[in-house]
């Protein structure tokens, strides 16, 4: 009888483990990764190699908000320092933004979009909207709004 109980418990433990593994591989992390992969694929199809999504965001923030220091840009674009710095440097090397030391605080780098950067972000904006539209297309309009509001709330 004791052997049956331990065997029954092992079966219960295995069933619980399988349920947990199933929940994990079909949960938020897995779906987030798939969504990111889909976005990258659709972005590549529509926008091509001219700008990555994060580069577009950096230029878009500078276009909308004007010049700012790198830390403020990172906060607006929701990029951490180690991600923002190489993006800023690549865009600077391509002549899409300018970076100069703040005249008052030499530790700060002030960033501004160049005319070339402004033209590129304006030209790319409809394509970025098309990426989002294509990804949201399987959803009804009210589902699209709901999904976007949930994602916004989750990423604050």
């Amino acid at each position: 009888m004791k052997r049956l109980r331990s065997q029954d418990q092992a079966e219960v433990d295995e069933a619980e483990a399988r349920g947990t593994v199933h929940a994990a591989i079909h949960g938020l992390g897995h779906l987030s990764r798939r969504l990111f992969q889909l976005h990258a694929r659709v972005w590549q199809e529509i926008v091509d190699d001219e700008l990555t999504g994060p580069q577009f965001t950096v230029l878009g923030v500078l276009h909308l908000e004007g010049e700012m220091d790198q830390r403020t840009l990172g906060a607006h674009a929701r990029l951490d320092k180690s991600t923002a710095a190489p993006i800023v440097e690549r865009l600077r090397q391509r002549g899409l933004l300018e970076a100069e030391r703040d005249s008052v605080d030499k530790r700060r780098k002030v960033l501004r979009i160049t005319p070339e950067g402004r033209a590129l972000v304006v030209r790319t904006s409809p394509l970025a909207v098309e990426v989002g539209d294509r990804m949201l297309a399987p959803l009804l309009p009210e589902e699209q709004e709901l999904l976007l509001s949930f994602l916004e709330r989750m990423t604050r």
Side-chain angles (χ1 to χ4, degrees):
M1 187 63 106
K2 190 174 190 179
R3 185 167 185 243
L4 285 176
R5 282 190 191 146
S6 64
Q7 186 176 11
D8 289 345
Q9 186 59 47
E11 289 173 10
V12 168
D13 291 347
E14 176 60 22
E16 286 178 6
R18 291 181 61 77
T20 302
V21 169
H22 182 272
I25 65 171
H26 290 86
L28 181 61
H30 175 70
L31 292 172
S32 297
R33 182 184 56 77
R34 287 178 52 199
L35 184 64
F36 179 77
Q37 287 174 327
L38 174 62
H39 184 269
R41 186 172 61 247
V42 174
W43 184 274
Q44 184 69 30
E45 289 172 15
I46 293 175
V47 180
D48 198 26
D49 289 329
E50 201 161 19
L51 278 180
T52 65
Q55 289 172 341
F56 171 79
T57 300
V58 164
L59 290 177
V61 166
L62 289 171
H63 174 72
L64 294 174
E65 304 294 330
E67 72 177 43
M68 63 186 66
D69 66 72
Q70 193 163 327
R71 182 188 309 170
T72 304
L73 173 66
H76 281 288
R78 301 219 171 139
L79 297 170
D80 60 52
K81 187 177 179 179
S82 64
T83 303
I87 291 171
V88 164
E89 182 55 25
R90 277 189 225 103
L91 292 172
R92 190 196 60 74
Q93 288 175 355
R94 290 178 58 194
L96 300 173
L97 66 77
E98 297 171 337
E100 62 183 44
R101 293 281 170 205
D102 187 326
S103 58
V104 176
D105 184 349
K106 299 292 184 199
R107 296 169 297 175
R108 285 178 24 143
K109 226 189 256 187
V110 177
L111 308 172
R112 76 182 55 83
I113 193 168
T114 64
E116 295 82 7
R118 187 174 312 284
L120 180 57
V121 78
V122 168
R123 189 173 68 245
T124 305
S125 293
L127 302 175
V129 170
E130 186 180 336
V131 170
D133 289 347
R134 187 183 300 179
M135 290 186 64
L136 292 169
L139 303 176
L140 297 170
E142 56 273 9
E143 292 172 326
Q144 293 175 13
E145 287 180 32
L146 197 56
L147 174 63
L148 293 174
S149 70
F150 287 156
L151 291 172
E152 183 65 36
R153 190 176 344 153
M154 290 175 69
T155 58
R156 279 189 200 141

